[in-house]
Amino acid sequence: SRSQKVTEFGLMCGRAKIRTTRALTSILIFLISLISGCSEQNSSTTIVIANINGYSFNNDRELERFTTLVIDSGKVVVTGDGSIAESLQNAEIIDGQGQTLLPGITDAHGHVSSLGYTLLQIDLRDTTSADQAAKEIAKYAEQKPFLKWIRGRGWNQVLWPGQQFPSAQTLDELIPDRPIWLERIDGHAGWANSKALALAGINANTISPPGGEILRDSKGQPTGILIDNAMGLIDQVIPAPSEEELAAALEAATSHLLSLGITSTHDAGVSATEHRFYSSLAQQKKLAIRLYGMISSTDPELGSILAAGPTVDENDLYSARSVKVYTDGALGSRGAALLEPYSDRAGHRGLLLTSQEQLRSIFSDAIGAGFQVAIHAIGDQGNRIGLDEVEHAYATIGGRELRHRMEHSQVVALEDIPRFKALDVIPSMQPTHATSDMNMAEDRLGKERLKGAYAWRTFVDQGSRLASGSDFPIELANPFHGLHSAVTRQSQKNQPVEGWIPEESLSIEEALRSFTIDAAWAAHQETVLGGLDPGKWADFILIDQDIFKVSGEELWKTQVNQTWIAGELVYQRP
């Protein structure tokens, strides 16, 4: 077929590392003319994006520049200079008007349905106190009397006066008659009112589950704050979302992500229901964004999903060949597992969410089925446990070729960082976590442990491939916020002036690589995604400024003008 011939030509060019020259242009023109002439009845599908300021990473992870992009049947044929556009008479030529063009962004760690539900629920990210949050929730509840449960997310007590956890009483005073459940910004703690606690049967006699904590007052009564595995006590009494609700959440999430230039995302914790739903949409070519699924290790149907083997569709819309497992919780809620106690909570070392026996069983089952293991690890103990289990798996059952990942790799003992490279474990990290946490991390860890925290430069310098994401909806999904954090290690108010632990910053080239070709590599997709080499899907974005020329402080202001997937325009900035 015409599409197959053009793709084969593109792949041939990629393997031979042919760059656009006059000779290549002549060959290209001849090939497209020949194929187009095979049937005068078939209209051309060749698209040329000309007059652009293009950047992309080739298969050797090298940055390349171009002014013209040629697409056929959804895939890249070639990139090069303006002479290509001048010579292709039957192609559709689009003037890029000098805009900067980048490969579509891959967010290597997000939570798609959670983002969608968050967009459909009340967002507490900007609240300034528990009382103000409660008032906003009361307004929301009044506007939606049909909701049986009031749900929300985004509160962060670290940014409130006193930095104390809120209580059920604050919510009860305004909404006593409907259950309320509000997840903390990091998703590792929840805030409930008394109605929700009662429905879940949580009282003074309730024992905290392994890997979780029910916070209590001086009288032993639950305060309304549940941490990590204790959150499941509430989750289990909340009705499961219907397929219609899941569809609405997916639509809200994908529309938002496309507007930010994200064409592919790694979904960190996919349920069996979501797995089936995503697979069905992909088969019908109705999935609006590319998804790489990490199946939740706690899903009851994990065994049957593993037995069916990795999921891939011919259009690379949905791929699932990874299992997500937790070692510990999060730093903000003091659930991250530390080797030594928290600096601001004597004797407390965080929470271990999965036992060693469970971890080894998950590794065995996943590797046996050909699945990568993606390990949530934030504290230095959580990371060491994850590395130990990878090492044990290699020694007993193998699986090194599966590109196992450490999700977050946030606080790592200095002696453990080289083990990532030695074990070929991918540090899957989120740059905005550093700039969000910088006002609290030293309180939690002290100065000494910060030496191995948010250590992007150390990982890159030792040769580790860094896969970057945002961890949305915990952080905002905007990848240019992530690029800004990676390069400047500053807030958007340019604080601190020299950057927070600036020696761990990245260059803009390194940061963009971690959001494109290296993120694709972390999903075994580097041959089809992550760049604009011949034969890859034509996923790209046009933006309003050249991120390689503006100052680092300006990166977060970047706006996406257009987003394209498989050679089709899927988002246009209003």
Side-chain angles (χ1 to χ4, degrees), residues 221-250:
Q221 295 294 329
T223 66
I225 297 298
L226 308 178
I227 295 176
D228 286 316
N229 286 358
M231 297 169 68
L233 300 174
I234 294 284
D235 290 335
Q236 66 187 5
V237 298
I238 298 175
S242 65
E243 185 169 301
E244 290 76 15
E245 290 173 316
L246 176 56
L250 180 62

Side-chain angles (χ1 to χ4, degrees), residues 37 62 218 253 298 308 382 429 451 475 519 561:
E62 301 165 334
S218 60
T298 59
M429 305 176 77
K451 294 178 180 178
E475 301 281 357
N561 292 331

Side-chain angles (χ1 to χ4, degrees), residues 445-522:
L445 302 170
K447 287 187 177 181
E448 190 62 27
R449 281 182 289 196
L450 284 180
K451 294 178 180 178
Y454 316 90
W456 317 319
R457 164 58 53 201
T458 302
F459 279 112
V460 169
D461 283 351
Q462 74 175 8
S464 292
R465 294 201 194 199
L466 183 66
S468 286
S470 65
D471 204 7
F472 62 75
I474 295 167
E475 301 281 357
L476 295 178
N478 194 321
F480 296 99
H481 292 186
L483 291 172
H484 170 264
S485 294
V487 171
T488 68
R489 294 185 72 101
Q490 292 178 321
S491 71
Q492 292 172 7
K493 295 181 180 179
N494 303 325
Q495 296 298 317
V497 174
E498 299 298 326
W500 185 63
I501 317 180
E503 61 270 22
E504 290 292 348
S505 64
L506 301 177
S507 69
I508 183 59
E509 180 175 334
E510 292 166 332
L512 183 62
R513 183 186 290 120
S514 72
F515 275 102
T516 54
I517 188 67
D518 284 355
W521 191 85

Side-chain angles (χ1 to χ4, degrees), residues 65-367:
R65 300 195 63 179
F66 52 92
T67 61
T68 304
L69 168 66
V70 180
I71 306 162
D72 192 279
S73 301
K75 294 189 175 182
V76 176
V77 176
V78 73
T79 59
D81 61 29
S83 61
I84 299 176
E86 295 170 1
S87 306
L88 291 176
Q89 299 179 358
N90 294 328
E92 177 185 356
I93 308 237
I94 297 173
D95 183 358
Q97 300 179 341
Q99 296 173 93
T100 294
L101 184 148
L102 304 175
I105 300 296
T106 294
D107 188 309
H109 185 110
H111 305 276
V112 176
S113 62
S114 292
L115 173 62
Y117 294 132
T118 298
L119 292 170
L120 298 174
Q121 295 171 4
I122 184 168
D123 184 358
L124 302 173
R125 193 183 304 270
D126 295 327
T127 53
T128 57
S129 69
D131 288 337
Q132 193 246 331
K135 290 176 182 177
E136 293 296 324
I137 295 158
K139 291 179 186 177
Y140 175 82
E142 185 177 357
Q143 294 166 358
K144 294 179 169 54
F146 55 88
L147 290 177
K148 294 182 179 179
W149 277 75
I150 306 301
R151 305 282 302 278
R153 184 168 182 158
W155 60 272
N156 184 358
Q157 87 288 352
V158 172
L159 302 179
W160 295 346
Q163 300 188 352
Q164 300 300 310
F165 278 118
S167 69
Q169 182 180 354
T170 304
L171 297 173
D172 294 343
E173 291 174 355
L174 296 175
I175 314 171
D177 56 340
R178 280 194 283 175
I180 302 174
W181 180 234
L182 311 163
E183 291 191 27
R184 191 181 184 275
I185 190 169
D186 59 12
H188 286 270
W191 177 17
N193 69 344
S194 295
K195 182 71 172 179
L197 293 174
L199 288 173
I202 299 171
N203 54 44
N205 299 318
T206 306
I207 298 173
S208 295
E213 184 178 9
I214 301 171
L215 295 192
R216 304 174 191 277
D217 62 21
S218 60
K219 298 180 180 179
Q221 295 294 329
T223 66
I225 297 298
L226 308 178
I227 295 176
D228 286 316
N229 286 358
M231 297 169 68
L233 300 174
I234 294 284
D235 290 335
Q236 66 187 5
V237 298
I238 298 175
S242 65
E243 185 169 301
E244 290 76 15
E245 290 173 316
L246 176 56
L250 180 62
E251 182 179 1
T254 54
S255 295
H256 181 65
L257 295 173
L258 291 173
S259 74
L260 300 173
I262 296 170
T263 56
S264 176
T265 189
H266 302 173
D267 197 350
V270 174
S271 69
T273 298
E274 292 167 345
H275 175 64
R276 286 189 290 270
F277 187 58
Y278 297 161
S279 295
S280 175
L281 289 178
Q283 290 169 7
Q284 299 173 61
K285 299 182 182 180
K286 292 182 179 179
L287 196 55
I289 196 169
R290 300 190 192 278
L291 298 179
Y292 177 71
M294 305 179 198
I295 308 301
S296 174
S297 66
T298 59
D299 194 282
E301 298 182 50
L302 175 64
S304 61
I305 293 173
L306 292 177
T311 297
V312 180
D313 74 280
E314 62 180 0
N315 296 299
D316 298 302
L317 290 173
Y318 180 59
S319 172
R321 56 175 302 173
S322 182
V323 174
K324 168 77 178 299
V325 61
Y326 286 83
T327 64
D328 64 353
L331 195 63
S333 55
R334 298 186 185 88
L338 301 181
L339 295 169
E340 299 296 333
Y342 276 80
S343 297
D344 58 357
R345 185 176 174 185
H348 182 68
R349 300 192 184 200
L351 300 169
L352 295 175
L353 305 189
T354 310
S355 70
Q356 183 184 73
E357 182 181 5
Q358 290 172 315
L359 283 172
R360 293 200 172 173
S361 175
I362 291 165
F363 266 87
S364 178
D365 293 344
I367 290 173

